[in-house]
Amino acid sequence: MDLRSLVPGAAGLAGVAADALVLVVAGSEAQQTLEPPLAALLAESVKAGDFELKPGRTLYVHRPAGVKAPRLVLAAAADASPKAFKTAVAAALGALKSLGVRHAAVAFAATAKEEGAAVLDDRHAEALAMAVADATYIYRHTKPSAPEGAKLQKVSLVCDKAAANTLKKSLARGQAIAEGVTLARECANRPGNHCTPTFLAEQAQALGAQFGFKVEVLGRKEVEKLGMGAFIAVAQGSEEPLRFIVLRYEGAARGTAPVVLVGKGITFDSGGISIKPAGEMDEMKFDMSGAASVLGTFRALGELSPKVNVVGLIAACENLPSGRATKPGDVLRSMSGQTIEVLNTDAEGRLVLCDALTYAERFKPAAVVDIATLTGACVIALGGQRSGLFSPDEELAGRLLQAGEAALDPAWRMPMDDEYDEALKSNFADVANVGPRGGGAITAAMFLKRFTKAFRWAHLDIAGTAWKGGAAKGATGRPVPLLTHFVLSHAR
Ligand code: BES
Ligand code: MN
Ligand code: ZN
């Protein structure tokens, strides 16, 4: 997709040359910011009851009088915020979907909150890039018959001359993040028989080759040697070989402590011997979405080349029942030395993550963030809007929350009181892998916390946000935007 900023000439918006002009309108005073043909058109369509200034509403106008662009789409935004702008752009692109539009120019009519403040800033530009990528993404790998998408090839953001340069940079950042999101979606949408641990490792290696990252892939033998007894216990029920993937992005000086991102990469989670019910079990192919978000974030890093060091760790395997599978009651020895009683083989994410977290110690990290579709309980708690954020570290938690807000990929902080840890007591090991049903997302985080003594740490439970079910079933690519913003906040 070609994304650029466009400064209108003397004729203003009415003179913009594009196949379609998308005019996002926020608030009833927005009309005052428009020149005659468009101001009149907006006023008349509102008066006639054809266009309401309610979020989500759009109006298509063919060959509008006095306007150079042969098509006009009015799209109402709830307010002048980047979030409302993004929603309105998405609705407008939806209205253009089946038309022959190759080049759309997007303009924003709104009055600034404060006198002199810019209506359109870098966050709007970034949001536009994300909305365009979202509207044009189509999954094809195992469905080549998927209908042709929109013809859209180029999107311009109409802006002042003074803002053009900064907005251009923000469009590029938005596009880099969008490419990361798309990679994450492409990986996560692939079925479990295509997206295996080996496939994830190949994706990492391909990224490494494309952008010059160091990529290391460990197999069963190396992982055994490291003493990752918890990871192996999950993998051993499957014929599909496990992979432990290490990516390194080196944008800062050698000695600079890296940010470490740890992704849960269960390429299919049947539950193991504690097998899941059949309904919707197919969605457990998405149980590698944490891993996909690490790959997606590295993709964005490759495009943006920030001055920061980042390590990506992915623990990838399947969780299946078999004659070799781990059983309830089995006791494992983790890489940290702590023993774990497996009370439920379906609580496998924390088992692969705990060994990956111990492995992270060797990088002397500035911070470690793990990303995992960890608990159904988190879906119950937060639904699909916000990812669950868990961290005993105020500063780190604040930084992640802020990154989520800025990226329009929000999280919500959950509690981690010490008392929650008591649920994980075991008579046969240092820790049990599950607690009672209540507070399940929190006890999962408390389990992980036991393996994070050596560094500052946060955990993102993305079970509700990484994919959508139902008719729109598919990966969202979240939380690549949050993670990219977070990593960029560490750049010099
Ligand atoms: N991958 C699942 C979590 C999950 C479930 C994500 C449903 C999205 C939708 C995870 O491995 C799991 O099975 N967790 C169990 C933990 C329980 C056994 C303590 C769960 O949430 O039921
Ligand atoms: Mn599970
Ligand atoms: Zn799982």
Side-chain angles (χ1 to χ4, degrees):
M1 179 65 60
D2 182 4
L3 275 165
R4 51 183 72 185
S5 57
L6 188 157
V7 180
L13 283 183
V16 164
D19 300 331
L21 177 63
V22 171
L23 184 56
V24 176
V25 184
S28 49
E29 280 148 48
Q31 191 190 312
Q32 296 159 15
T33 68
L34 293 167
E35 61 250 69
L38 287 160
L41 198 152
L42 175 59
E44 277 164 32
S45 53
V46 170
K47 198 171 163 210
D50 295 335
F51 182 57
E52 264 189 294
L53 288 169
K54 279 191 185 155
R57 295 295 170 90
T58 60
L59 179 69
Y60 177 81
V61 188
H62 202 66
R63 300 217 168 272
V67 177
K68 185 165 183 187
R71 305 173 187 84
L72 171 69
V73 180
L74 299 176
D79 51 51
S81 67
K83 183 180 165 186
F85 177 71
K86 187 178 175 189
T87 310
V89 169
L93 293 175
L96 290 179
K97 206 173 183 174
S98 47
L99 309 182
V101 175
R102 286 167 184 278
H103 175 200
V106 179
F108 193 25
T111 44
K113 271 209 190 101
E114 293 147 52
E115 191 87 29
V119 168
L120 201 63
D121 64 29
D122 54 339
R123 297 171 310 157
H124 294 89
E126 193 179 307
L128 173 66
M130 307 277 294
V132 170
D134 197 37
T136 50
Y137 174 78
I138 299 170
Y139 173 79
R140 291 194 181 278
H141 291 287
T142 48
K143 191 182 177 183
S145 66
E148 282 280 318
K151 308 233 173 357
L152 204 58
Q153 280 168 6
K154 180 174 161 183
V155 177
S156 310
L157 179 58
V158 181
C159 64
D160 297 343
K161 195 166 183 201
N165 258 328
T166 30
L167 292 189
K168 216 163 141 182
K169 276 186 202 142
S170 308
L171 284 172
R173 184 177 61 232
Q175 183 149 31
I177 295 172
E179 278 169 30
V181 165
T182 301
L183 175 66
R185 295 176 82 176
E186 286 286 78
C187 286
N189 279 334
R190 274 192 169 74
N193 61 329
H194 290 240
C195 179
T196 60
T198 307
F199 175 85
L200 286 177
E202 285 164 3
Q203 289 291 302
Q205 267 154 344
L207 263 185
Q210 188 180 354
F211 294 105
F213 311 138
K214 289 180 189 154
V215 177
E216 210 182 329
V217 177
L218 312 186
R220 163 97 198 203
K221 271 195 192 129
E222 292 101 321
V223 163
E224 226 160 53
K225 216 166 159 190
L226 284 163
M228 292 186 168
F231 181 23
I232 288 172
V234 176
Q236 73 191 28
S238 167
E239 302 278 330
E240 199 63 58
L242 66 80
R243 290 290 180 262
F244 190 81
I245 307 163
V246 185
L247 300 101
R248 285 161 172 264
Y249 168 80
E250 288 165 351
R254 244 169 179 273
T256 312
V259 172
V260 180
L261 304 177
V262 181
K264 170 178 172 182
I266 300 297
T267 57
F268 189 74
D269 180 14
S270 70
I273 297 294
S274 315
I275 198 160
K276 288 180 181 293
E280 288 163 17
M281 205 209 267
D282 65 291
E283 293 186 14
M284 284 299 119
K285 72 172 184 178
F286 294 120
D287 210 17
M288 36 55 72
S289 297
S293 76
V294 173
L295 293 175
T297 302
F298 268 73
R299 167 87 213 227
L301 288 173
E303 300 281 348
L304 295 169
S305 313
K307 293 193 168 97
V308 58
N309 290 339
V310 186
V311 174
L313 302 177
I314 290 170
C317 69
E318 288 183 339
N319 184 24
L320 292 185
S322 80
R324 272 191 219 289
T326 293
K327 307 170 291 299
D330 285 1
V331 174
L332 323 171
R333 187 185 154 84
S334 67
M335 185 179 173
S336 72
Q338 295 176 75
T339 57
I340 302 165
E341 184 185 15
V342 177
L343 292 177
N344 189 322
T345 64
D346 198 9
E348 85 298 340
R350 62 200 79 181
L351 297 177
V352 308
L353 287 173
C354 72
D355 281 343
L357 288 167
T358 302
Y359 187 86
E361 288 178 13
R362 67 186 56 205
F363 300 104
K364 300 191 172 51
V368 178
V369 180
D370 75 71
I371 311 100
T373 47
L374 203 61
T375 65
C378 193
V379 188
I380 302 298
L382 296 174
Q385 294 310 119
R386 287 176 183 263
S387 304
L389 168 66
F390 301 79
S391 179
D393 186 316
E394 296 293 326
E395 201 266 343
L396 182 58
R399 209 190 251 257
L400 283 158
L401 287 174
Q402 210 186 347
E405 296 303 322
L408 303 181
D409 181 10
W412 192 258
R413 189 160 178 202
M414 302 283 279
M416 291 199 80
D417 303 85
D418 288 335
E419 287 75 9
Y420 285 109
D421 190 71
E422 277 155 35
L424 295 173
K425 280 190 177 140
S426 159
N427 288 345
F428 304 102
D430 295 330
V431 63
N433 81 327
V434 296
R437 244 164 66 89
I442 307 169
T443 42
M446 295 311 288
F447 178 94
L448 295 176
K449 182 170 178 262
R450 289 170 170 249
F451 300 84
T452 62
K453 300 273 146 63
F455 41 70
R456 303 175 67 179
W457 161 79
H459 156 61
L460 284 167
D461 193 332
I462 58 166
T465 52
W467 76 87
K468 289 179 183 150
K473 192 187 288 181
T476 61
R478 290 178 68 183
V480 169
L482 181 157
L483 293 172
T484 307
H485 273 255
F486 171 72
V487 169
L488 290 177
S489 81
H490 285 83
R492 275 198 315 112

